[in-house]
Amino acid sequence: MMRTTLSVIKADIGSLAGHHTVHPDTMAVANKVLAEAKRTGIIVDYYITHVGDDLELIMTHTRGALDTKVHETAWNAFKEAARIARDLGLYAAGQDLLSDSFSGNVKGLGPGVAEMEFEERQSEPVAIFMADKTEPGAFNLPVYKMFADPFNTAGLVIDPALHGGFKFDVLDVYEGEGVTLNTPDELYDLLALIGTVGRYVIRRVWRRQDDLLASTVSIERLNLIAGKYVGKDDPVLVVRLQHGLPALGEVLEAFSFPHLVAGWMRGSHYGPLMPVSQRDARATRFDGPPRLIGLGFNIKNARLVGPSDLFDDPAFDGARKQAVEITDYMRRHGPFMPHRLEPAEMEYTTLSLVLEKLKDRFKREEDVAKAKQSIYSKESNE
Ligand code: 13P
Ligand code: 13P
Ligand code: MG
Ligand code: MG
């Protein structure tokens, strides 16, 4: 049986009018590179899209994850697109390409990667979710809901094939160490970790009964790779659907609540994750609000059938309206936490400069009080 690999690789290679949207010419040149890779048989099929300023390459092939040729194809597509971005004077051209040279695969070079290799089921439905102005941990809450919350996913209760539960691989992105937790039995331990979204990130989900790989998330944190602010990580989530896995509708249900995520404006603010159609996949207000698109495909003999634009639907108007209301509410906090991120998570930070400038002016409270005291006693003696 042929094994199929789905590789979603993304990067911000520069954008139009700020961190807003990709330019069609950059997508066109990436398309040329992928068309050539399809012609020469490196990949079987592909689809190119974008969310906000992030260029997304969705590729299918039979070469397994971390394949050098597939990754080199993606890298070349990003390099070419960045070249066009420079020619057009686009903003932050080459933003996520942290290296000039490619060595084996794109990991650690800046692009985000979500890949899964599997044996195609008779019908292989998948959903691909792509977000802008946020970080990989933004998917912790919805992925938890899809695979572990019976109030979201009816199948956990009523479908014997889901009833055995799922395994979550959780990565500590600071230490680079992972742990696997089983649900439902270790639900509370899982939540204790993944509630800290900036550190513990759900990396993969497996079905327990047969170790079927059900979902994967891109976990790159650019700021941790680069050691300085280089843009947000703008993650990707791939979910296999149906037939012993959550149904498409159960997976989409998890995004009906526009939860707060980190990464809005300058990578330094919390805001609601707003599910939008491809048409509305552009960051606008305060460079957001953070946006999510979803595309549904079937995969047949490694060919991509589709997509369907999953949030292009009035059923998500309520979530969008709520996201706009939350936007108004959060924005009124201006530079105050918890709209602004906590200092340790701040990526564009002047805080250290301000502290340096003021360091000689900081005085201990009791010294200030003593100084005041001596002034008063001097005055009263006079
Ligand atoms: P089984 O019903 O064969 O376990 O598998 C269903 C499925 O979703 C993966 O093949
Ligand atoms: P991106 O990470 O999407 O490039 O956004 C950067 C930013 O700071 C937007 O305000
Ligand atoms: Mg950008
Ligand atoms: Mg982006």
Side-chain angles (χ1 to χ4, degrees):
M1 183 85 175
M2 180 183 80
R3 287 176 73 80
T4 294
T5 309
L6 172 60
S7 300
V8 186
I9 306 184
K10 50 87 36 186
D12 180 337
I13 47 75
S15 49
L16 181 66
H19 294 280
H20 168 57
T21 189
V22 304
H23 189 284
D25 291 1
T26 61
M27 286 175 74
V29 75
N31 187 66
K32 256 193 207 161
V33 175
L34 265 55
E36 179 61 13
K38 181 172 173 176
R39 197 187 62 76
T40 57
I42 295 171
I43 56 177
V44 175
D45 210 351
Y46 70 92
Y47 186 81
I48 297 179
T49 188
H50 77 96
V51 56
D53 57 6
D54 290 279
L55 179 59
E56 311 273 348
L57 311 177
I58 299 168
M59 298 175 286
T60 47
H61 54 95
T62 57
R63 311 172 71 93
L66 289 176
D67 178 75
T68 298
K69 284 215 153 72
V70 172
H71 278 234
E72 195 173 22
T73 298
W75 184 251
N76 290 339
F78 292 139
K79 280 281 179 196
E80 281 298 287
R83 184 175 60 77
I84 298 294
R86 277 185 204 100
D87 288 352
L88 294 174
L90 298 183
Y91 190 66
Q95 175 180 288
D96 288 355
L97 308 182
L98 304 182
S99 166
D100 286 331
S101 52
F102 175 81
S103 57
N105 65 66
V106 299
K107 281 191 167 289
L109 300 184
V113 184
E115 292 190 291
M116 50 163 75
E117 183 186 358
F118 49 80
E119 214 164 87
E120 284 180 20
R121 296 169 292 167
Q122 195 174 14
S123 174
E124 186 59 63
V126 300
I128 302 174
F129 297 97
M130 294 155 274
D132 187 30
K133 307 301 181 257
T134 186
E135 60 180 9
F139 287 129
N140 282 6
L141 188 152
V143 170
Y144 165 79
K145 282 174 133 184
M146 291 169 201
F147 290 100
D149 178 5
F151 281 75
N152 181 87
T153 297
L156 293 168
V157 180
I158 63 180
D159 180 350
L162 276 79
H163 210 75
F166 291 88
K167 290 194 299 197
F168 290 72
D169 291 349
V170 177
L171 184 74
D172 175 342
V173 293
Y174 284 87
E175 295 300 326
E177 289 177 347
V179 60
T180 301
L181 294 166
N182 294 310
T183 57
D185 15 331
E186 296 181 298
L187 211 68
Y188 300 158
D189 292 338
L190 175 68
L191 286 169
L193 296 185
I194 65 172
T196 307
V197 293
R199 175 155 196 168
Y200 299 101
V201 179
I202 297 173
R203 174 59 168 134
R204 287 188 203 85
V205 183
W206 313 80
R207 186 166 60 192
R208 277 172 82 176
Q209 68 180 33
D210 56 1
D211 282 333
L212 176 135
L213 179 58
S215 181
T216 184
V217 177
S218 63
I219 45 80
E220 287 67 27
R221 283 206 57 181
L222 275 173
N223 57 320
L224 297 179
I225 298 171
K228 63 175 175 28
Y229 183 81
V230 283
K232 262 291 165 191
D233 314 293
D234 300 339
V236 178
L237 162 71
V238 180
V239 190
R240 296 169 77 190
L241 310 163
Q242 305 287 160
H243 196 57
L245 295 173
L248 172 65
E250 289 167 334
V251 165
L252 293 177
E253 180 68 12
F255 293 109
S256 60
F257 164 54
H259 66 297
L260 291 174
V261 299
W264 194 5
M265 184 47 84
R266 300 168 191 275
S268 304
H269 294 81
Y270 288 102
L273 186 62
M274 183 164 80
V276 294
S277 67
Q278 182 75 78
R279 190 174 52 254
D280 292 325
R282 297 169 304 130
T284 59
R285 185 170 173 192
F286 204 53
D287 282 0
R291 278 172 209 233
L292 175 77
I293 60 165
L295 297 181
F297 292 93
N298 271 92
I299 297 176
K300 184 65 182 174
N301 297 331
R303 272 191 10 260
L304 284 167
V305 181
S308 172
D309 186 354
L310 298 170
F311 295 121
D312 184 12
D313 189 86
F316 282 92
D317 285 351
R320 288 188 275 266
K321 184 164 178 285
Q322 193 176 20
V324 174
E325 283 161 8
I326 297 166
T327 292
D328 287 334
Y329 175 83
M330 293 301 282
R331 282 301 304 126
R332 288 177 68 185
H333 293 80
F336 284 80
M337 291 170 62
H339 179 27
R340 202 208 72 192
L341 303 194
E342 54 273 27
E345 283 285 325
M346 289 261 292
E347 298 185 358
Y348 250 91
T349 179
T350 51
L351 191 60
S352 57
L353 298 176
V354 173
L355 287 172
E356 179 60 27
K357 190 178 76 183
L358 297 180
K359 75 174 189 301
D360 296 332
R361 291 167 57 188
F362 274 92
K363 306 274 184 256
R364 298 194 63 78
E365 272 283 56
E366 52 270 34
D367 295 344
V368 175
K370 258 189 225 150
K372 285 222 172 93
Q373 196 66 52
S374 68
I375 290 169
Y376 292 144
S377 48
K378 230 166 111 192
E379 279 174 354
S380 58
N381 288 341
E382 278 167 10

